[in-house]
Amino acid sequence: MSYTAPIKDMLFVMSELANLDAISALPGCEDATRDTAEAVLEENAKFVSGVIEPLNHAGDKEPSYWHDGQVTTTKGFKEAFRQFADAGWQGLQHPQDFGGQGLPKLVGTPCVEMLHGANLSFALVALLSDGAIEALMTAGSDEQKATYLEPLVTGQWTGTMNLTEPQAGSDLAAVRTRAEPQGDGTYKIFGTKIFITYGEHDMTENIVHLVLARTPDAPPGVKGISLFIVPKFLVNADGSLGARNDAHCVSIEHKLGIKASPTAVLQFGDNGGAIGTLVGEENRGLEYMFIMMNAARFGVGMQGIGLAENAYQKAVAFARDRVQSRDLAGSSGPVPIIHHPDVRRMLMSMRAQTEAARALAYVGAGFHDIAHHHEDEETRAAHQAIYEYLVPVIKGWSTEMSENVARDGVQVHGGMGFIEETGAAQHYRDAKILTIYEGTTAIQANDLVGRKTLRDGGKVARHLLAQARATATQLGELESGDLAVIRARLEQGATDLEAVVDFVLANAKSDVKAVFAGSVTYLKLAGIVLGGWQMARAALIAQQKLSSGAGDASFYRAKITTARFFADHFVAQSTAMRAAIVEGHAGVLALPEEMF
Amino acid sequence: MSYTAPIKDMLFVMSELANLDAISALPGCEDATRDTAEAVLEENAKFVSGVIEPLNHAGDKEPSYWHDGQVTTTKGFKEAFRQFADAGWQGLQHPQDFGGQGLPKLVGTPCVEMLHGANLSFALVALLSDGAIEALMTAGSDEQKATYLEPLVTGQWTGTMNLTEPQAGSDLAAVRTRAEPQGDGTYKIFGTKIFITYGEHDMTENIVHLVLARTPDAPPGVKGISLFIVPKFLVNADGSLGARNDAHCVSIEHKLGIKASPTAVLQFGDNGGAIGTLVGEENRGLEYMFIMMNAARFGVGMQGIGLAENAYQKAVAFARDRVQSRDLAGSSGPVPIIHHPDVRRMLMSMRAQTEAARALAYVGAGFHDIAHHHEDEETRAAHQAIYEYLVPVIKGWSTEMSENVARDGVQVHGGMGFIEETGAAQHYRDAKILTIYEGTTAIQANDLVGRKTLRDGGKVARHLLAQARATATQLGELESGDLAVIRARLEQGATDLEAVVDFVLANAKSDVKAVFAGSVTYLKLAGIVLGGWQMARAALIAQQKLSSGAGDASFYRAKITTARFFADHFVAQSTAMRAAIVEGHAGVLALPEEMF
């Protein structure tokens, strides 16, 4: 059983929750009609199921390997990437001017989900290129754009993101890599970068490294970091490749998961200096890197959702197939384990979390499109703020939930889940990176508290809560039992989330550590309540469709059932999470360090 | 940094919560004084840290391997097992008549925790031997005892448990292995068994397989299963080894974790039949196997606790050592990450869950000792019933929590956690088997609902709840803020658990699937409330010690802080768990099978 893209749910979310029709009415988004979106999704689904997903297990069994500075990727990856690029998938969301298709993020996002769902290790190379493209588009010079963008957008080359150094980890203030100006507009780069995803590979003829480094007179800390383009091969004026640059892969990591994705240690400048060019202005590197990171963080959230969908499908297939023990309500012999209530509970839990996270992420993608394409500046700004509030939630919560879903996926398989050939264990291992890279969940939570809640005094958070409550009010007008429960849970969830936002705002100055002691729980609570809100909207729309007799009744009934499950099993946790934050912060910090 | 046995906490729990003094006053337990217990724990700690733990990472990197029917275990395992056996650790809890030390379970349990904490893969061989010893002690004939017990107790041989077959999984009713009587008191065994832990290895000269099989006229289902001893080498009358038996290892599994522990596929009777002897009476095999399984299930719970402790220690060491980013409250430069609130939250969460699970398990071990050694029959029976209620909770909840703790352990390490050489990822992989083998969490939960709650009409559950409430009342007499919160959370937890027990009892006949839809959540709720009860008892005692000025004040203050954290962050979840069970069961089962 291989991965089947959940196109029906994707289209439902795009059309009904993320308002695809309104997006396609925006200037520059005219191509994104329902019909086009459906055609794109179907084509993409065919491609990832046929070409990309079959390489997933192979990549785990025969990972990419390093020898003498070269990385050989898993057999088949190079050819698959060529097909991926040639079909235009790398350029789906990027401007037509640079060889892309120029489709809005709302249409690109399901394709990203599918690619990650099919093969996380493979998809990473595309994710990193997307980030590099966004950064260059925003901050690159015309010459840099002319040189690098088209090859990246068309997948002729790939991009990387070089932040982490051995002594610094996530602390960019501690970056030591040096950039020495050569007087000719170029710089020589010296330093070591670690954890560089696809920092070296054999899939394309060139690799465009975006590297954080310090110029000689840079101020200390994050205010003295600049961003440089350091290509693996220098690029001649005519676009052809020149000399090999002094940027070399000295090893790759032996990892728990995503084994086919080479995680490189890159050494810059050991043989005289790697040639780089400055992106934008000196000392503004962090700002540009954040453009890449925000794109990448949203993408990592999609990795979580894609992986969760795949793990869910694998578990369902196994549960239908595996016959064991009688039905509790009586049966003449053993039955498929999907009949057993706890297996059903795990499958529902996997399904409900995946659907809720997908709905929230796609709605976020829609906000991104409005923020970039709407004619009204205020509307753009308002939606940009909402999108930025959602990014850490989409990244942090979707990936945390994907760990739980992958875990349940193994559990549904029982003993077979622990055997590597089954494939469930690979999801469990692969998922563990998602809550770590592109900023751990704690770093996402710091962002949510600091930049996204404190800075605007909770304005965006309250706006979203008001909208959630409006949905609850609409639900109150319908009388079905499920919808009434969904409404009550959503209202309680909104109350609890608001209490937490109030707590964050009230205590950030007087007791900053108490606030950050609960930041990850706040992030998860925001995910559950805002994801629950999307599920409530979905249930409401499904109920309206059922009442009007339009469309696929069993799909709509399933949506209501899944929303109800999400309300009872996840949104219902809101009060305990609020207690952990508001009443439980003291216990987080009370134990003296030496007593651990 | 290597594993250091948490002897101080172990002795506190043994003495103050599990009432070691009362246990050592029981007939046959006179040796188990506090002094002896402390000496035994210290000796064991030295042994596991010096000999067993150093092999843990090696076993993961260079797993045991199969070649031509033989399994070669990781280098060093054979010698370590010899030292383990020669020092008498295998026989710690077994009768002196058969070469053991005859210490009560309460003293043996911390040693089991340490062994598993140090090296899960190694410890498994001892765990399986323990189970085989218990089964033979209860159901073996005098001749079988004379032949097999001493070599098992002294670690000259090891034991295995052969239940699972490829087509049957956990469903023992589907066991097909045949046992044909030969007329001379022996049987010929034919069949395939899978997932046999240490089913083949090179650490001892013989292996005693205990095998479930059916005799020719056996009734169908679980009532027709008998238990047989099938040694790898037949044993002569004088105890020397005879011919190689027809029981062969045809392969071992490639697993997610516990890689040094060989998981064998055993083929019985491919060359004429494996010779076995019946244990006890025909068709009572399941009953005897349950003796093994109950011992093994308790042991797997201890695996979870030991692994969690090790993961916690590794995370603490990393968090002290790793310097990154400034302190939120201000610092002149980067600080060790243990200063960051979310790291602190994860460490507290790991610590609190491990301590709560340890306390509940040791208290359970004490009940086991009373059930086996008390002079009064009624007291024995009452404690046996409580112990049996607790076994699925200790197995299921401690292992589920160990997954979470191992996960947080990786997370504390950040990117380094995903790199295999750090060791945190090994815990994450190893932990995943614990909720599966010896019965998945769902199977433990079925046992908790069916045999342990419905059968006695909730009597034991209510007895435990009454005791928990008595602790809450005692807490109410003290005025400290932490204790007042602990009391309120415990009272609410007890109320919620009681509501769930009522729900289970009220609905088991009318809607059995609704009850079992919440069985795993019920098990976890029982773990949290009963574990929280033990933490509340610990806090109460700590407060009394502080008031009296006796003992180590910082240890007692830490215990209260940890109990408070457990109350706010775990016991506080009780109401949401109750809602998921009592109100959320319909959603578990509502989605039609074809809609998954």
Side-chain angles (χ1 to χ4, degrees), chain A residues 393-418:
Chain A
V393 178
I394 290 166
K395 197 284 186 182
W397 176 59
S398 304
T399 59
E400 293 270 336
M401 83 80 194
S402 76
E403 286 183 358
N404 297 335
V405 169
R407 180 269 169 205
D408 279 353
V410 176
Q411 195 71 16
V412 168
H413 285 76
M416 291 308 297
F418 202 66

Side-chain angles (χ1 to χ4, degrees), chain A residues 5-259:
Chain A
I7 290 186
K8 198 160 196 172
D9 194 55
M10 289 171 160
L11 289 170
F12 171 81
V13 173
M14 292 164 75
S15 303
E16 305 295 341
L17 302 181
N19 212 349
L20 177 62
D21 291 346
I23 304 296
S24 68
L26 295 172
C29 298
E30 295 83 357
D31 290 348
T33 61
R34 286 196 193 206
D35 285 350
T36 302
E38 189 169 345
V40 169
L41 265 58
E42 277 172 2
E43 199 55 43
N44 192 266
K46 214 182 300 169
F47 175 72
V48 301
S49 292
V51 178
I52 306 299
E53 203 263 351
L55 296 170
N56 191 36
H57 190 54
D60 193 57
K61 273 176 72 177
E62 307 284 347
S64 298
Y65 64 90
W66 180 96
H67 178 74
D68 199 18
Q70 313 290 320
V71 170
T72 306
T73 52
T74 300
K75 191 162 175 286
F77 269 44
K78 183 175 179 169
E79 296 72 20
F81 188 75
R82 187 52 31 231
Q83 288 185 62
F84 173 79
D86 288 349
W89 296 117
Q90 180 74 61
L92 197 69
Q93 296 177 59
H94 301 300
Q96 291 173 337
D97 292 352
F98 296 106
Q101 318 242 3
L103 284 168
K105 192 176 185 82
L106 180 55
V107 179
T109 293
C111 297
V112 169
E113 182 193 324
M114 290 183 224
L115 190 68
H116 289 299
N119 190 332
L120 218 53
S121 284
F122 178 89
L124 275 165
V125 73
L127 185 148
L128 271 297
S129 284
D130 280 342
I133 292 163
E134 290 230 23
L136 291 178
M137 205 96 73
T138 314
S141 67
D142 287 344
E143 194 188 329
Q144 287 170 333
K145 287 183 188 175
T147 307
Y148 294 104
L149 275 179
E150 190 163 327
L152 284 170
V153 169
T154 58
Q156 193 186 336
W157 304 343
T158 69
T160 72
M161 220 161 135
N162 289 245
L163 289 76
T164 308
E165 299 179 7
Q167 80 293 346
S170 306
D171 181 10
L172 297 179
V175 159
R176 282 189 203 149
T177 297
R178 292 178 294 122
E180 293 180 358
Q182 301 301 301
D184 61 352
T186 68
Y187 292 73
K188 282 198 171 174
I189 312 287
F190 302 90
T192 304
K193 295 285 184 179
I194 61 169
F195 295 159
I196 309 309
T197 300
Y198 279 96
E200 177 60 30
H201 63 77
D202 58 358
M203 286 154 60
T204 56
E205 56 183 358
N206 203 5
I207 302 172
V208 182
H209 303 299
L210 291 186
V211 183
L212 289 185
R214 291 181 189 284
T215 53
D217 304 322
V222 293
K223 289 177 183 160
I225 298 175
S226 303
L227 182 65
F228 297 87
I229 301 178
V230 186
K232 177 178 170 184
F233 285 95
L234 298 174
V235 184
N236 299 321
D238 64 355
S240 64
L241 296 189
R244 180 72 167 86
N245 209 347
D246 185 11
H248 295 278
C249 175
V250 294
S251 66
I252 65 173
E253 306 291 350
H254 174 56
K255 308 190 299 294
L256 172 62
I258 52 163
K259 295 189 180 190

Side-chain angles (χ1 to χ4, degrees), chain A residues 29 81 130 171 191 200 240 284 315 347 366 397 428-429 480 501 526 573 581:
Chain A
C29 298
F81 188 75
D130 280 342
D171 181 10
E200 177 60 30
S240 64
R284 288 182 64 187
L347 295 178
W397 176 59
Y428 180 75
R429 290 186 287 98
S480 145
V501 170
Q573 294 172 13
I581 297 165

Side-chain angles (χ1 to χ4, degrees), chain A residues 376-493:
Chain A
D376 177 51
E377 195 185 324
E378 246 178 68
T379 307
R380 285 204 304 275
H383 283 82
Q384 181 65 24
I386 300 173
Y387 175 70
E388 288 186 3
Y389 181 90
L390 291 179
V391 166
V393 178
I394 290 166
K395 197 284 186 182
W397 176 59
S398 304
T399 59
E400 293 270 336
M401 83 80 194
S402 76
E403 286 183 358
N404 297 335
V405 169
R407 180 269 169 205
D408 279 353
V410 176
Q411 195 71 16
V412 168
H413 285 76
M416 291 308 297
F418 202 66
I419 308 300
E420 286 287 3
E421 65 180 289
T422 311
Q426 186 187 347
H427 292 312
Y428 180 75
R429 290 186 287 98
D430 285 355
K432 192 68 210 74
I433 193 59
L434 303 179
T435 56
I436 295 173
Y437 66 13
E438 300 302 336
T440 61
T441 307
I443 288 174
Q444 306 304 318
N446 289 352
D447 183 43
L448 181 67
V449 169
R451 288 188 204 86
K452 312 297 169 65
T453 303
L454 296 175
R455 201 173 279 178
D456 77 349
K459 193 178 142 201
V460 168
R462 283 190 220 286
H463 168 77
L464 290 169
L465 282 167
Q467 293 209 311
R469 288 203 173 98
T471 298
T473 305
Q474 286 178 284
L475 281 164
E477 291 162 11
L478 289 159
E479 289 184 8
S480 145
D482 284 337
L483 295 191
V485 172
I486 292 167
R487 185 198 65 221
R489 300 263 188 239
L490 178 59
E491 276 172 355
Q492 184 61 49

Side-chain angles (χ1 to χ4, degrees), chain B residues 305-500:
Chain B
I305 296 164
L307 181 139
E309 175 69 37
N310 195 336
Y312 166 72
Q313 291 186 16
K314 203 174 246 102
V316 168
F318 185 85
R320 283 195 211 286
D321 190 53
R322 175 73 173 182
V323 171
Q324 189 182 297
S325 301
R326 291 175 191 233
D327 193 294
L328 273 173
S331 62
S332 57
V335 294
I337 63 170
I338 196 170
H339 288 273
H340 300 320
D342 191 63
V343 170
R344 199 63 82 97
R345 181 188 60 80
M346 288 191 278
L347 295 178
M348 279 305 295
S349 177
M350 298 167 83
R351 173 192 180 91
Q353 290 181 89
T354 306
E355 286 190 12
R358 175 181 298 126
L360 186 62
Y362 288 19
V363 166
F367 291 154
H368 174 276
D369 290 326
I370 298 172
H372 282 74
H373 296 283
H374 202 281
E375 286 168 328
D376 177 51
E377 196 186 322
E378 249 179 67
T379 307
R380 286 202 305 275
H383 283 82
Q384 182 63 25
I386 301 172
Y387 174 71
E388 288 186 2
Y389 181 90
L390 291 178
V391 166
V393 179
I394 290 166
K395 197 284 185 183
W397 176 60
S398 304
T399 59
E400 293 270 336
M401 83 82 194
S402 77
E403 286 183 358
N404 297 335
V405 169
R407 180 268 169 207
D408 279 353
V410 176
Q411 195 70 14
V412 168
H413 285 77
M416 292 307 298
F418 202 67
I419 308 301
E420 285 287 3
E421 65 181 289
T422 311
Q426 185 187 346
H427 292 313
Y428 180 74
R429 291 186 286 98
D430 285 355
K432 192 66 210 75
I433 193 59
L434 302 180
T435 56
I436 296 173
Y437 66 13
E438 301 299 337
T440 62
T441 306
I443 288 174
Q444 306 304 318
N446 289 352
D447 181 42
L448 181 67
V449 168
R451 287 188 204 87
K452 312 297 168 67
T453 303
L454 295 175
R455 200 173 280 179
D456 76 350
K459 194 177 142 198
V460 167
R462 284 190 218 285
H463 168 77
L464 291 169
L465 284 167
Q467 292 209 310
R469 289 201 171 100
T471 298
T473 305
Q474 286 178 285
L475 282 163
E477 291 161 10
L478 291 158
E479 290 184 7
S480 145
D482 284 337
L483 294 192
V485 172
I486 292 167
R487 185 197 65 221
R489 300 262 188 240
L490 178 58
E491 276 172 355
Q492 184 61 49
T495 301
D496 291 325
L497 180 54
E498 182 152 42
V500 168

